[in-house]
Amino acid sequence: MAPSSVKLQELIRLIRTAKTQAEERAIIQKECADIRSSFREEDPSFRCRNVAKLLYMHMLGYPAHFGQMECLKLIASPRFSDKRVGYLGAMLLLDERQDASLLITNSIKNDMNHNSQYVQGLALCTLGCMGSSEMCRDLATEVERLLKTSNSYIKKKAALSAVHVVRKVPELIELYIPAAESLLGGKNHGVLHSAVVLITEMCVRNPEATCKFKKVVPELVQIMKNLIMSGYSPEHNVGGISDPFLQVQMLCLMRILGQNDDEVSEAMNDILAQVATNTDTSKNAGNAILYETVLTIMDIRSESGLRVLAVNILGRFLLNSDKNIRYIAMTSLLKMVQTDHNAVQRHRGTIVDCLKDTDASVKRRALDLTFALINGHNIRSMIKELLQFLDHCPAELRSDCASGIFLAAEKYAPSKRWHIDTILRVLTTAGSYVRDETVPNLIQLITNTSELYAYTVHKLYQAVLADISQQPLVQVAAWCIGEYGEFLLSGTCEEEKTVKVTEDDMLDVLEMILQSHMSSPATRGYALTSLMKLSTRISDNVDRIRKIVSIYGSCIDVELQQRAIEYNTLFKKYDHMRVAVLERMPVIEKNSQVCSDKSTKVLNDENKPFSLSKPNQTEVKIQNAANQQTVDLLDLIGISDPSSTPVVQNNQEKMVGGELLDLLGGINFGAIPSITAYNKNGLTVEFFFEKVGNNELSIQLKAKNATAKDMKEFILQAAVPKNIQIHLQAPSGSVLPALCSGCVSQTILISNPNKVSLKMRLRLSYSIEGSTVQDICEVNNFPPQTWQ
Amino acid sequence: MQFMLLFSRQGKLRLQKWYVPLSDKEKKKITRELVQTVLARKPKMCSFLEWRDLKIVYKRYASLYFCCAIEDQDNELITLEIIHRYVELLDKYFGSVCELDIIFNFEKAYFILDEFLLGGEAQETSKKNVLKAIEQADLLQEVRMTCCEQWGEI
């Protein structure tokens, strides 16, 4: 007597009545317990139903592994409904990683030879879905046998199982080649479709197979022709188009066969042109075929007329009301913008219009494409469109758009004035989205445009008056006000009403930046330094500056505090040097700018696309030859000597975050020139000297790390000859950040009453990327003043 | 095709067909993430999105999302046609199909899918032929069952 057992649909209904997760879990646990005991009793009557219930619960997320063996039993049962559920269970619960899956190999083999085609179908389907390589190897010949049967229902399933076998065990491709060829001769669409899929898979995996199958191209062309020309076949019709699935699949195979082969491509020319021109575009099915046709045309050796046809199809797609079609068109155009640049250029107008598209993905791709199409001729109009786009574009695209505009402007700017205008426009529109590296880059550009100093600083001043929230804008503006403040005062500006700016106005702005809670620490650093620079460019309000500087001497921010104190010292002890130190910066030389897009090959410079998809790769380094050498300073007292300024430039090195290095860091405070004590593997140690009294020498050492990785646990030890006393004070830290973005300083006190010639042995150790580096060196180049 | 998922607007899974070998844990993770991603999409957005290294094609029919993961070289537009064809098959079979039909007859939904796709590829491009095959297979189930009445039906 069969135990009472809940029917599947009843269970589903029951589970759905549960109001909470806990209730559902309780129902399921009870049911699982019942099922388990039923399995234990080996009662075949309800096995099918129980496994079905288990599969439902599995879909809800509950464990069902205890049903795996039951699936095997169901598969082995003679009942069709058992097999159906058993195979379904195998596909859902077993995957090739499990040992249990091997156990069904025998059942599958038997069922593949069953007298009912539906049972055969179940077996083939399961093999094709979850067969492991071992199973595939075992059953490969069975599948091959079934490929040759006359039953098209089985043939098509066998063909797709063969696809799976070939994916798992590519060596078996050889086995299926003869059978696959003959499959193309039939009339059954299902068989044809599966055959084409099988041949495609074999060709993709094995170039030899591709060679063998090139001879079927005429047959493929004929099948395509028949499909297009033949009358209405209701069975395979989708929206007025004959079997789009088969058409697309064949076009895909043609693509594989025609690649890099002129002859084969030639044979396909006509049919591709026919499909491209005659396919109805009103429905998605037609567009799917056209899309595949375009992909094929672009990938084989097609003649130029055909390629133009393909690009035009994409151009029409861009105007389609269906956003999916527009998206596809954009993606395809992006792929071919380098190889068929001119053809894509013809659709520039439409592409730029797509910047206004409602769909975000289309917009993003339109942006990428637009940048790829910019060249020297269209730069003005393109940037105009892009600036308009920037005004309204969604936040996630702003940063990329801004960077792209900068890159394009740098490459193709028709005039310096236009370039600066464009940059200013971007800074004011999307200033807070601009990347940090841009700031030094822009400053460098501005210094190179000496004729526009007045114009630039006026415009920046106005912009900052309006809005001090966008950090990059404020930083550039602050820097310019500091450097070119005198132009603001004199009110000279080419056009527009020249606004009279007083000294107080300028100082107000800079102070406002300093004090605003919106300013980042880096920005405040810029502002403070600019204030200091202005002290030499203005006449009346120097005291005000002095006051501000001394207030910041006790600022909590360490960087600002250090600067303020140094500036204070400049006022107090070294006032005579102030003018020279704060002189106008010379033009910063540009080294090379890196616009990197690792995935594209550049055909010629004009067509080089701007890649925005990997934003972090774009870097602009400003390097100056002077940075690399050690500079022996001349005596700075009272001299405004151009050769002294290279050291100041030294501090203008770009860093991530755009902070200026300590402006005065490289300058020696006394008469003794500084030396480079150590310079190896990116680590430099410089010594700055100050005599304290007659026999005492204070050495300020600064260690910097120019490599790309941080140096940690940096320790320096020093030894001197006998009769000299040495005392090392505690260093400022033990980490040397990468790319000279910071330094470690330490004071060494030397007492040398006997005036022995000074030599030193240094022992350095640090760890970089996990490994420790140790080095010993001798320092012999102490200037004579240090001990005499 | 790598896999197909059907889920409701509340994120409940109604059908999952995997054509690539993955552990249960991985499948759950992928399902969870993908469902979240697709449900977050606004109605005006296009049916394709890039997710991990796959292309996702999805379409909403009434209260069910049909979601397929295809490879880079696959045609998104024809995948939309595949989804549509499957919906048509379900519709013809159940007669004006709705989500409840798929919930209470999930095993039949799988059987239909397995007559339409095999190993992730279309095996039969004629709607008529797929439905005929299902019909015949169902009959086979009935016949065997009436012969052996002591066996329980599902």
Side-chain angles (χ1 to χ4, degrees):
Chain A
M1 177 40 198
S4 72
S5 153
V6 181
K7 281 192 176 177
L8 171 66
Q9 296 205 336
E10 192 47 50
L11 175 67
I12 296 176
R13 205 163 291 138
L14 189 60
I15 292 175
R16 283 169 66 78
T17 61
K19 292 190 199 64
T20 63
Q21 186 74 337
E23 242 184 275
E24 181 183 279
R25 224 176 301 134
I27 298 173
I28 294 196
Q29 267 170 359
K30 177 175 181 309
E31 186 56 42
C32 280
D34 283 345
I35 293 178
R36 272 186 212 250
S37 50
S38 177
F39 284 163
R40 264 195 300 273
E41 284 161 28
E42 300 271 345
D43 183 350
S45 43
F46 294 116
R47 191 177 284 143
C48 179
R49 176 196 290 182
N50 284 334
V51 170
K53 286 189 282 187
L54 208 53
L55 292 179
Y56 181 77
M57 295 189 283
H58 177 250
M59 187 151 61
L60 292 178
Y62 296 92
H65 45 269
F66 58 91
Q68 285 172 6
M69 292 312 283
E70 301 302 311
C71 292
L72 265 54
K73 293 180 194 159
L74 282 174
I75 291 172
S77 152
R79 283 178 75 213
F80 182 67
S81 39
D82 277 357
K83 285 190 191 282
R84 240 184 168 185
V85 173
Y87 276 118
L88 180 63
M91 286 190 274
L92 287 177
L93 298 181
L94 297 173
D95 63 63
E96 59 174 51
R97 284 93 132 344
Q98 273 141 17
D99 297 326
S101 62
L102 278 177
L103 297 171
I104 62 174
T105 310
N106 222 28
S107 293
I108 293 183
K109 189 164 181 192
N110 290 336
D111 283 340
M112 273 166 75
N113 295 312
H114 204 275
N115 46 27
S116 160
Q117 66 178 16
Y118 297 105
V119 174
Q120 287 178 296
L122 287 176
L124 284 167
C125 183
T126 307
L127 178 64
C129 178
M130 48 75 75
S132 65
S133 337
E134 273 187 65
M135 285 166 72
C136 288
R137 254 185 261 266
D138 284 342
L139 298 166
T141 40
E142 291 299 320
V143 172
E144 200 261 341
R145 205 171 47 78
L146 290 176
L147 269 178
K148 300 194 271 214
T149 171
S150 53
N151 181 339
S152 37
Y153 179 80
I154 294 301
K155 248 208 290 236
K156 68 187 189 204
K157 289 185 193 261
L160 290 179
S161 300
V163 171
H164 183 83
V165 168
V166 152
R167 279 185 189 149
K168 287 287 177 194
V169 192
E171 301 91 68
L172 289 168
I173 288 179
E174 283 291 327
L175 177 63
Y176 296 113
I177 291 182
E181 253 184 80
S182 57
L183 287 175
L184 286 178
K187 291 268 177 229
N188 182 297
H189 281 227
V191 174
L192 280 173
H193 185 272
S194 304
V196 174
V197 173
L198 176 58
I199 297 174
T200 311
E201 190 68 33
M202 293 199 283
C203 291
V204 161
R205 287 182 188 266
N206 190 329
E208 272 179 44
T210 314
C211 290
K212 293 217 176 93
F213 281 112
K214 285 198 193 198
K215 59 182 195 255
V216 308
V217 169
E219 222 176 324
L220 288 174
V221 171
Q222 191 53 47
I223 298 174
M224 273 301 269
K225 272 209 188 105
N226 292 342
L227 269 182
I228 305 174
M229 307 297 223
S230 69
Y232 179 71
S233 154
E235 222 184 300
H236 300 108
N237 189 280
V238 178
I241 304 199
S242 299
D243 208 336
F245 303 105
L246 183 55
Q247 286 197 46
V248 165
Q249 204 57 53
M250 285 200 292
L251 286 164
C252 180
L253 177 55
M254 283 191 227
R255 178 157 76 246
I256 311 265
L257 296 174
Q259 266 169 356
N260 296 320
D261 190 322
D262 290 320
E263 212 183 306
V264 172
S265 305
E266 167 79 40
M268 298 174 184
N269 241 349
D270 286 342
I271 192 68
L272 288 174
Q274 217 180 337
V275 174
T277 36
N278 291 342
T279 309
D280 178 19
T281 60
S282 57
K283 296 269 167 66
N284 184 59
N287 289 323
I289 295 172
L290 281 174
Y291 175 44
E292 197 72 31
T293 313
V294 168
L295 290 178
T296 302
I297 292 175
M298 299 316 287
D299 235 15
I300 65 175
R301 298 266 174 86
S302 42
E303 50 174 45
S304 58
L306 207 50
R307 293 179 90 85
V308 170
L309 188 57
V311 178
N312 287 346
I313 291 177
L314 290 180
R316 275 204 307 277
F317 273 4
L318 282 180
L319 300 166
N320 196 303
S321 52
D322 185 346
K323 53 185 151 17
N324 291 333
I325 307 285
R326 294 201 300 273
Y327 175 93
I328 294 291
M330 278 292 176
T331 319
S332 310
L333 283 169
L334 201 51
K335 284 195 201 135
M336 58 179 74
V337 74
Q338 294 140 55
T339 48
D340 293 81
H341 190 87
N342 292 326
V344 181
Q345 273 282 4
R346 254 179 253 140
H347 298 277
R348 193 176 69 237
T350 325
I351 292 171
V352 170
D353 276 339
C354 284
L355 284 173
K356 302 179 195 116
D357 200 295
T358 44
D359 184 276
S361 324
V362 176
K363 260 208 270 255
R364 167 165 278 284
R365 274 162 178 74
L367 188 62
D368 286 348
L369 254 179
T370 308
F371 282 121
L373 292 174
I374 296 182
N375 60 32
H377 303 294
N378 57 35
I379 177 82
R380 278 186 196 265
S381 56
M382 293 288 254
I383 294 292
K384 195 157 144 214
E385 294 280 349
L386 284 165
L387 285 173
Q388 266 176 10
F389 173 67
L390 191 60
D391 280 336
H392 314 292
C393 89
E396 63 266 14
L397 294 176
R398 283 199 159 192
S399 178
D400 288 339
C401 188
S403 306
I405 294 178
F406 286 145
L407 283 170
E410 200 159 337
K411 238 186 145 182
Y412 297 114
S415 78
K416 294 217 161 163
R417 169 68 183 270
W418 178 94
H419 196 173
I420 291 193
D421 272 339
T422 307
I423 291 176
L424 289 180
R425 177 78 190 275
V426 174
L427 282 180
T428 45
T429 320
S432 34
Y433 293 92
V434 161
R435 297 206 176 90
D436 288 335
E437 305 87 81
T438 341
V439 171
N441 194 19
L442 298 181
I443 291 178
Q444 174 264 316
L445 175 70
I446 292 171
T447 60
N448 268 302
T449 324
S450 50
E451 61 272 23
L452 291 173
Y453 286 162
Y455 175 76
T456 314
V457 73
H458 267 278
K459 280 223 113 106
L460 281 168
Y461 176 76
Q462 299 296 337
V464 152
L465 273 183
D467 170 20
I468 59 167
S469 63
Q470 308 199 77
Q471 299 306 295
L473 172 64
V474 175
Q475 285 172 7
V476 177
W479 191 91
C480 286
I481 295 175
E483 277 293 304
Y484 310 123
E486 60 266 36
F487 290 106
L488 281 176
L489 291 173
S490 65
T492 48
C493 180
E494 288 167 24
E495 60 227 48
E496 299 162 31
K497 36 189 175 58
T498 49
V499 179
K500 254 316 189 144
V501 179
T502 66
E503 293 183 0
D504 274 312
D505 289 334
M506 283 200 305
L507 297 181
D508 281 340
V509 162
L510 286 174
E511 227 183 326
M512 184 168 64
I513 297 173
L514 254 182
Q515 289 164 355
S516 166
H517 62 277
M518 291 190 277
S519 298
S520 72
T523 312
R524 295 165 87 197
Y526 272 91
L528 189 61
T529 306
S530 293
L531 267 171
M532 195 58 198
K533 287 187 198 169
L534 283 180
S535 71
T536 58
R537 294 171 181 37
I538 62 176
S539 39
D540 297 330
N541 284 296
V542 186
D543 272 334
R544 184 173 166 189
I545 297 182
R546 217 193 288 253
K547 238 187 276 183
I548 300 174
V549 165
S550 63
I551 291 175
Y552 277 86
S554 40
C555 172
I556 289 182
D557 184 299
V558 174
E559 176 67 29
L560 282 180
Q561 190 191 107
Q562 181 176 351
R563 290 189 189 204
I565 291 179
E566 286 172 357
Y567 296 158
N568 239 347
T569 317
L570 196 56
F571 269 126
K572 295 209 180 94
K573 267 168 83 172
Y574 301 99
D575 204 43
H576 48 276
M577 282 166 51
R578 189 159 49 89
V579 172
V581 167
L582 298 171
E583 219 191 35
R584 170 84 57 81
M585 300 276 274
V587 170
I588 302 171
E589 260 168 50
K590 197 156 70 129
N591 224 342
S592 56
Q593 57 114 339
V594 177
C595 165
S596 67
D597 177 6
K598 295 194 180 116
S599 55
T600 59
K601 290 192 273 265
V602 179
L603 295 174
N604 74 56
D605 223 28
E606 293 306 312
N607 295 343
K608 193 170 176 184
F610 300 109
S611 150
L612 301 174
S613 48
K614 298 183 179 62
N616 294 326
Q617 286 175 4
T618 52
E619 271 180 12
V620 181
K621 281 200 175 69
I622 306 165
Q623 284 168 13
N624 191 296
N627 290 347
Q628 312 293 3
Q629 309 152 5
T630 52
V631 177
D632 249 347
L633 278 186
L634 296 174
D635 193 333
L636 282 185
I637 299 178
I639 302 173
S640 55
D641 186 346
S643 60
S644 68
T645 50
V647 181
V648 176
Q649 263 176 40
N650 201 3
N651 302 323
Q652 202 64 351
E653 265 168 34
K654 166 214 78 88
M655 292 172 301
V656 176
E659 282 183 350
L660 286 175
L661 280 177
D662 176 8
L663 185 66
L664 307 173
I667 300 197
N668 107 40
F669 286 95
I672 314 176
S674 68
I675 61 166
T676 302
Y678 181 89
N679 187 358
K680 206 164 142 197
N681 296 330
L683 174 61
T684 36
V685 179
E686 281 179 87
F687 282 179
F688 305 103
F689 306 102
E690 200 181 4
K691 278 222 118 149
V692 182
N694 211 5
N695 303 321
E696 262 50 78
L697 177 71
S698 162
I699 307 178
Q700 256 270 14
L701 76 84
K702 274 200 173 8
K704 283 204 207 108
N705 167 14
T707 68
K709 302 278 174 203
D710 289 358
M711 291 174 180
K712 303 198 175 120
E713 292 153 18
F714 174 71
I715 298 179
L716 181 143
Q717 290 163 309
V720 287
K722 281 198 283 232
N723 305 322
I724 304 180
Q725 271 150 28
I726 182 168
H727 179 73
L728 273 97
Q729 290 185 346
S732 65
S734 64
V735 174
L736 290 167
L739 301 172
C740 295
S741 49
C743 67
V744 163
S745 47
Q746 194 168 11
T747 308
I748 305 177
L749 295 170
I750 300 280
S751 174
N752 185 3
N754 300 336
K755 301 213 190 288
V756 180
S757 88
L758 188 55
K759 287 199 263 276
M760 197 183 277
R761 184 173 289 163
L762 285 180
R763 186 146 161 260
L764 306 152
S765 78
Y766 56 93
S767 77
I768 184 166
E769 278 190 281
S771 49
T772 325
V773 178
Q774 279 181 344
D775 201 0
I776 299 183
C777 76
E778 304 254 357
V779 186
N780 292 319
N781 52 338
F782 287 101
Q785 301 102 304
T786 52
W787 75 79
Q788 281 163 358
Chain B
M1 193 186 298
Q2 290 208 359
F3 57 85
M4 182 191 285
L5 302 172
L6 264 67
F7 50 90
S8 71
R9 278 193 294 169
Q10 288 78 43
K12 289 212 111 114
L13 199 60
R14 298 300 178 206
L15 190 144
Q16 50 173 336
K17 189 76 190 181
W18 298 84
Y19 295 108
V20 285
L22 290 166
S23 71
D24 239 10
K25 206 165 125 191
E26 287 167 314
K27 286 182 193 166
K28 280 204 176 129
K29 181 157 184 265
I30 291 175
T31 307
R32 200 174 40 237
E33 278 179 32
L34 197 52
V35 167
Q36 245 177 16
T37 309
V38 172
L39 288 177
R41 307 268 292 175
K42 301 192 201 59
K44 282 268 159 74
M45 295 172 110
C46 76
S47 296
F48 314 129
L49 62 106
E50 269 146 39
W51 185 80
R52 299 197 184 180
D53 58 344
L54 294 169
K55 296 201 278 199
I56 305 292
V57 179
Y58 73 94
K59 192 145 183 209
R60 204 186 109 197
Y61 288 84
S63 60
L64 267 184
Y65 282 90
F66 287 70
C67 185
C68 295
I70 57 176
E71 280 155 6
D72 211 42
Q73 63 275 20
D74 294 331
N75 183 325
E76 292 97 317
L77 297 177
I78 207 71
T79 310
L80 276 177
E81 289 299 320
I82 289 193
I83 293 177
H84 191 73
R85 175 56 64 87
Y86 182 45
V87 172
E88 283 179 319
L89 290 168
L90 290 169
D91 196 52
K92 214 50 199 275
Y93 183 82
F94 288 109
S96 268
V97 69
C98 65
E99 192 185 341
L100 280 177
D101 289 319
I102 301 191
I103 294 172
F104 283 95
N105 300 286
F106 73 96
E107 82 279 11
K108 300 217 176 68
Y110 274 110
F111 297 151
I112 296 172
L113 185 61
D114 286 339
E115 275 305 321
F116 175 41
L117 303 178
L118 200 158
E121 312 281 345
Q123 56 178 288
E124 180 56 66
T125 57
S126 151
K127 212 174 1 178
K128 192 177 85 176
N129 287 349
V130 176
L131 291 167
K132 203 159 63 171
I134 292 287
E135 212 180 315
Q136 297 288 350
D138 281 350
L139 274 177
L140 210 55
Q141 216 173 299
E142 297 281 319
V143 163
R144 292 284 167 93
M145 264 157 31
T146 47
C147 290
C148 332
E149 252 151 49
Q150 71 271 26
W151 302 88
E153 344 117 29
I154 288 185

